[in-house]
Amino acid sequence: MELYITGLPSAYEVEHVARLFFPAAHLAPQSPETGDRLLAKEEEGNAAVSLTWQGTTLEGTAPAGESPSFALSSLVYDLARQATGIRPSWGKMTGVRPVRLIHDNRRRGMGEEAIRSLFCDHYDCTAEKFQLARSIADLQGPIIARSGPRDYSLYVGIPFCPSRCSYCSFVSRTTGKDGKLTGPYVDKLCLELEAFRDQAHKNGLNLRTIYMGGGTPTSITAPQLRQLMGKIRELFDLSQVEEYTVEAGRPDCTDREKLEVLKEYGATRISINPQTFSDQVLENIGRKHTARDILDCFAAARQAGHTNINMDLIAGLPGDTVEGFAWSLETAIALDPENITVHTLTLKRASNLVIEKQAAADAGVAAMLERCSLLADAGYRPYYLYRQKGTLQNLENTGWSKPGYEGLYNIYIMEEVHSILSAGAGGSTKLVDQASGRIQRIFNYKYPQEYLEGFQEILRRKEGVSDFYGKNLD
Ligand code: SF4
């Protein structure tokens, strides 16, 4: 399928909607005249679309109105839905934060029926997806209301992993090849945390949650973990922190000693991420461990005293099936973790070949997510949700938890409730002014080597925190 889009400053929205139906569609440099093609143009206040697919052509026009991009993508959506019979669950919604849309409109005074109509009529979301988003917004409401204007969370990034998963789109280096960087990296990270502590003090900020993610934080050595978590304990008053999460993601680098270090140094929530309990699927994604290793790691974590554990699963992994995914869900549920997060596979930088290879998984992924009813049956509730560009069928990622075990950091970052100060390579600090909704970002260098070499500049950028709070809150 070739796309030819003209008359808009940005073709992004139209392109995104077209790919809901034709995942391998690509932009053509000039108007194609043969084959499967979609021609979309805005001209003099009118939107016009011509879609040719499998030898049949459908055409439509509409007034472009105040939002030509939405008018054009709506036309594309309607014609493509008619031609293919495909019904995308989130309709033509392109935003990554559907729950935020509910919070924002409630704050603006929009009624519940108008919000339902926005989702189900304007965007053509299914009633099930709207109900999912609304139940999460209801649950999050009181949690968000507790956050004050000077509250913040701290993110600590460890961009190293024992090996690289085939689907990975994160900035992460393998400890085998770049292990010599981890020592200098932890040293610098401690200095950056000190600079953040100073900024927090100077601006009267209150630390609410800490999240150590990656990469895989437990891919650094136990002494390095002690050094880092010891520094965090020295710099911040952990008794005032509501939640301290460490991703202990993979069992091939998370041993008993490291699990004990996490407990000893104050982590209150950890994440052990199977992604799947199928050995074959683990091999397909390039993992060097078995499902048995995950079970052993989970047992060791319980023995080390961890009472709040999250497990991540991914729907749509290569070679997985609906039944296989359901079995992974059942296995996770049988372990009785406090949180289970279900992601949909995301293909960033996906080539057409990759997309075509994924066609089989794509077909089953919606059915896989439907099996999440097993979580509801087991007493878990969905508490946060987000979507990503490139996710199979544009489906969602959802965090489920037992009541009272909602991952607070996940809510704070996804709903942009308060500032997130982000340390480490690839860190993106997000400063939030609750009153105006203004958001400002400060970026760190992306890769560990760049981070080490440009560290003085990273420290210099910390002044941006004071600038922001000086301008917006004093
Ligand atoms: S564990 Fe996560 S961050 Fe590390 S390689 Fe795999 S997907 Fe990437």
Side-chain angles (χ1 to χ4, degrees):
M1 171 65 70
E2 290 191 283
L3 309 177
Y4 188 66
I5 304 162
T6 55
L8 295 176
S10 164
Y12 170 78
E13 201 173 357
V14 177
E15 204 183 325
H16 172 90
V17 167
R19 291 214 175 95
L20 292 176
F21 302 90
F22 312 108
H26 59 274
L27 289 173
Q30 56 199 26
S31 183
E33 292 180 359
T34 56
D36 292 341
R37 58 198 184 275
L38 191 147
L39 316 178
K41 69 174 175 187
E42 194 277 328
E43 201 173 57
E44 296 177 354
N46 284 309
V49 174
S50 171
L51 169 65
T52 302
W53 190 62
Q54 296 185 343
T56 302
T57 298
L58 297 175
E59 294 186 330
T61 58
E66 286 180 8
S67 175
S69 180
F70 185 76
L72 209 46
S73 43
S74 284
L75 258 184
V76 168
Y77 178 89
D78 292 343
L79 294 182
R81 192 178 155 181
Q82 191 185 334
T84 62
I86 293 171
R87 165 63 159 116
S89 308
W90 290 96
K92 59 193 96 161
M93 186 182 275
T94 51
V96 299
R97 295 186 172 85
V99 179
R100 172 93 194 260
L101 195 60
I102 298 178
H103 290 310
D104 286 349
N105 281 309
R106 282 180 175 170
R107 267 193 290 272
R108 288 186 197 113
M110 189 186 266
E112 293 301 306
E113 172 50 25
I115 293 175
R116 188 210 59 77
S117 177
L118 177 70
F119 273 69
C120 299
D121 303 329
H122 183 74
Y123 288 118
D124 198 37
C125 290
T126 62
E128 291 75 26
K129 292 300 181 198
F130 170 60
Q131 181 49 37
L132 175 65
R134 186 168 61 181
S135 70
I136 292 173
D138 291 346
L139 191 150
Q140 289 180 346
I143 295 171
I144 289 174
R146 295 202 303 255
S147 184
R150 289 201 183 251
D151 286 353
Y152 78 104
S153 289
L154 182 67
Y155 180 83
V156 185
I158 309 286
F160 297 96
C161 287
S163 66
R164 195 152 175 90
C165 306
S166 63
Y167 59 86
C168 182
S169 58
F170 295 105
V171 174
S172 181
R173 293 290 187 235
T174 55
T175 43
K177 190 160 168 274
D178 288 316
K180 60 184 182 307
L181 296 180
T182 57
Y185 181 83
V186 170
D187 291 343
K188 289 283 186 287
L189 197 49
C190 289
L191 292 176
E192 192 186 0
L193 289 168
E194 214 165 308
F196 268 141
R197 188 276 317 266
D198 292 346
Q199 286 295 332
H201 275 188
K202 200 166 148 187
N203 292 288
L205 307 184
N206 314 307
L207 179 58
R208 296 289 296 271
T209 70
I210 301 174
Y211 194 101
M212 195 184 293
T216 307
T218 45
S219 64
I220 60 176
T221 65
Q224 287 166 349
L225 262 184
R226 275 200 188 87
Q227 178 191 349
L228 179 58
M229 294 184 75
K231 181 53 100 174
I232 291 171
R233 190 165 68 179
E234 174 195 321
L235 292 172
F236 302 97
D237 181 1
L238 297 185
S239 69
Q240 301 301 312
V241 169
E242 317 178 85
E243 178 185 279
Y244 183 174
T245 298
V246 180
E247 285 186 9
R250 295 172 42 161
D252 46 351
C253 62
T254 308
D255 58 18
R256 187 173 297 269
E257 183 186 5
K258 291 180 191 175
L259 288 164
E260 284 168 359
V261 171
L262 304 188
K263 188 70 195 165
E264 183 189 340
Y265 284 82
T268 59
R269 178 177 182 271
I270 65 167
S271 198
I272 296 170
N273 302 328
Q275 317 303 10
T276 171
F277 279 98
S278 157
D279 284 340
Q280 183 57 57
V281 178
L282 282 170
E283 195 182 322
N284 295 349
I285 62 173
R287 286 288 179 96
K288 309 276 185 245
H289 62 80
T290 63
R292 178 76 248 167
D293 295 330
I294 299 161
L295 300 175
D296 291 345
C297 186
F298 186 88
R302 287 295 197 215
Q303 277 165 16
H306 292 286
T307 53
N308 188 356
I309 301 179
N310 172 65
M311 303 196 102
D312 278 3
L313 294 174
I314 301 179
L317 288 173
D320 208 357
T321 61
V322 175
E323 285 319 307
F325 178 74
W327 184 74
S328 289
L329 268 176
E330 284 163 1
T331 308
I333 290 168
L335 290 171
D336 203 26
E338 287 64 32
N339 284 219
I340 296 178
T341 307
V342 179
H343 295 264
T344 305
L345 183 65
T346 298
L347 298 169
K348 289 195 177 157
R349 298 187 301 271
S351 67
N352 292 349
L353 184 69
V354 172
I355 290 171
E356 278 153 21
K357 269 190 181 170
Q358 282 301 321
D362 201 64
V365 74
M368 289 181 187
L369 291 194
E370 280 170 20
R371 303 303 288 270
C372 287
S373 58
L374 290 166
L375 291 165
D377 296 344
Y380 293 86
R381 300 186 301 188
Y383 76 92
Y384 97 111
L385 177 151
Y386 68 101
R387 300 162 72 218
Q388 281 170 289
K389 195 168 172 247
T391 300
L392 294 181
Q393 289 189 21
N394 208 230
L395 288 164
E396 69 278 4
N397 306 314
T398 306
W400 296 72
S401 76
K402 294 185 176 175
Y405 286 94
E406 294 79 20
L408 301 176
Y409 174 87
N410 293 331
I411 297 175
Y412 295 148
I413 189 167
M414 204 42 64
E415 303 310 322
E416 298 176 321
V417 175
H418 58 226
S419 295
I420 308 284
L421 305 187
S422 186
S428 164
T429 287
K430 194 190 278 185
L431 302 164
V432 177
D433 175 14
Q434 283 180 351
S436 66
R438 185 168 168 255
I439 288 178
Q440 188 175 312
R441 288 182 168 78
I442 303 173
F443 296 102
N444 282 0
Y445 293 114
K446 204 168 174 187
Y447 299 100
Q449 188 69 46
E450 285 177 292
Y451 174 84
L452 294 174
E453 287 165 3
F455 190 69
Q456 286 312 313
E457 171 60 17
I458 284 175
L459 287 186
R460 195 195 62 74
R461 291 181 190 174
K462 296 288 167 283
E463 283 307 316
V465 177
S466 288
D467 289 350
F468 179 86
Y469 281 99
K471 276 187 202 132
N472 291 286
L473 285 172
D474 286 343

